[in-house]
Amino acid sequence: MNPHSVTRIAYHYLDTGRGDPLVLLHGFTGSSATWDEVVPHFMQRFRVIRIDLPGHGRTPAPVGPTRGALPSVAADIAALLRHLNAAPAHLLGYSMGARLALGIAVLHPDVVRSLILESGSPGLATETERAARRAHDEALATRIERLGIEAFVDEWEQLPLWASQQQLPDYVRQRMRAERLRNSPSGLAASLRSMGTGAQPSFWDALPHLTIPTLAITGALDEKFTAIVRQMCARCPAMTHQIIEGAGHAPHLERPLEFARCVFGFAAC
């Protein structure tokens, strides 16, 4: 059976290595290439499955906000993992991918062996917050469509969220930029409208009921998400928190060896 016949979207994925399945879900503006720094480490122990999320990399943008909504994408990923005989899997998500990974664990716990959330959140707690974020994301989506991909990436890379990445080697930053530029304005805009933080359901109330072993990783320099994860841990007995010193929002890029050690220490037990 073709994987595309079990999902609503024709997902592009890379399936390499041997061992327990480890599924990697990237963040906004990323792709499966996001994980290039850490995949060589992971392949020593895991079967690594990297998935391009809708509107990113080689996976097309969803047709309509419902099909690309987080619950629909979560159902797609769950179906794909079952089709690949990769369930239950260790699920590792970064930023947007972490929100999706948490959604999969809440909605389809049978496909998740353990959960690793890098710089993630459960969404926004109130409808007022979600409505304000949807308006922000719609404005950004419209701006991406108007600016085009290169001008948008120029602006995106100047956000304070990425300040700590100035310490990265030039070749890493150039590769990150090339990865972002390979995305299309229409794909990123569709992703914001359907899977943005304001569009997704809140999973805050699900946290006390989550029994899947969960590791949350943040960079010490990313004060916002470190604070969010501390709030998550207070609600979720199954969750532990690892802070990586010297890293910001993307520890897998900024401190890849330390990040890989955290993942191994948690998932390879």
Side-chain angles (χ1 to χ4, degrees):
M1 185 190 305
N2 189 302
H4 301 165
S5 66
V6 301
T7 59
R8 300 170 179 84
I9 298 168
Y11 288 85
H12 174 262
Y13 63 91
L14 299 172
D15 188 348
T16 54
R18 300 178 63 182
D20 295 332
L22 174 65
V23 178
L24 308 182
L25 305 174
H26 62 79
F28 181 65
T29 76
S31 71
S32 55
T34 292
W35 305 103
D36 285 352
E37 290 291 315
V38 290
V39 163
H41 300 293
F42 293 157
M43 285 179 59
Q44 299 173 23
R45 171 64 176 78
F46 298 106
R47 173 190 175 189
V48 180
I49 301 171
R50 292 180 273 173
I51 303 172
D52 285 348
L53 298 180
H56 293 78
R58 294 171 61 183
T59 296
V63 179
T66 302
R67 180 167 291 182
L70 190 147
S72 293
V73 176
D76 282 348
I77 301 301
L80 180 60
L81 295 184
R82 295 185 190 107
H83 171 74
L84 295 174
N85 294 317
H90 301 289
L91 212 56
L92 165 55
Y94 162 59
S95 198
M96 177 184 74
R99 291 189 284 106
L100 173 60
L102 178 59
I104 296 169
V106 170
L107 301 172
H108 305 277
D110 62 296
V111 304
V112 185
R113 178 174 173 179
S114 74
L115 188 61
I116 305 165
L117 308 176
E118 179 190 6
S119 304
S121 83
L124 297 168
T126 69
E127 176 54 32
T128 299
E129 291 175 297
R130 291 192 292 274
R133 183 57 182 263
R134 286 196 298 272
H136 173 274
D137 286 349
E138 175 58 37
L140 180 56
T142 301
R143 185 166 177 78
I144 295 171
E145 292 170 326
R146 186 175 73 250
L147 287 175
I149 191 65
E150 187 166 0
F152 163 67
V153 169
D154 287 344
E155 289 192 357
W156 184 255
E157 291 179 340
Q158 297 306 310
L159 292 177
L161 188 64
W162 316 121
S164 60
Q165 294 181 11
Q166 294 303 311
Q167 66 184 314
L168 292 171
D170 287 343
Y171 80 91
V172 176
R173 288 190 284 113
Q174 290 168 5
R175 192 175 67 199
M176 288 167 52
R177 179 174 175 82
E179 178 187 3
R180 288 166 172 156
L181 290 172
R182 283 193 292 269
N183 292 312
S184 69
S186 60
L188 295 183
S191 178
L192 277 171
R193 290 175 175 131
S194 58
M195 274 189 60
T197 308
Q200 77 156 76
S202 170
F203 294 119
W204 279 103
D205 289 343
L207 290 177
H209 310 289
L210 183 67
T211 58
I212 294 168
T214 302
L215 173 66
I217 301 173
T218 58
L221 303 178
D222 185 0
E223 297 179 0
K224 174 182 176 180
F225 279 86
T226 295
I228 289 172
V229 167
R230 285 180 173 137
Q231 295 174 39
M232 294 169 66
C233 288
R235 295 194 182 199
C236 183
M239 185 179 296
T240 58
H241 185 190
Q242 180 73 48
I243 299 174
I244 297 181
E245 295 298 327
H249 192 64
H252 71 278
L253 282 172
E254 299 171 49
R255 293 291 185 271
L257 185 56
E258 292 91 330
F259 181 82
R261 285 172 176 161
C262 289
V263 173
F264 269 99
F266 177 73
C269 296

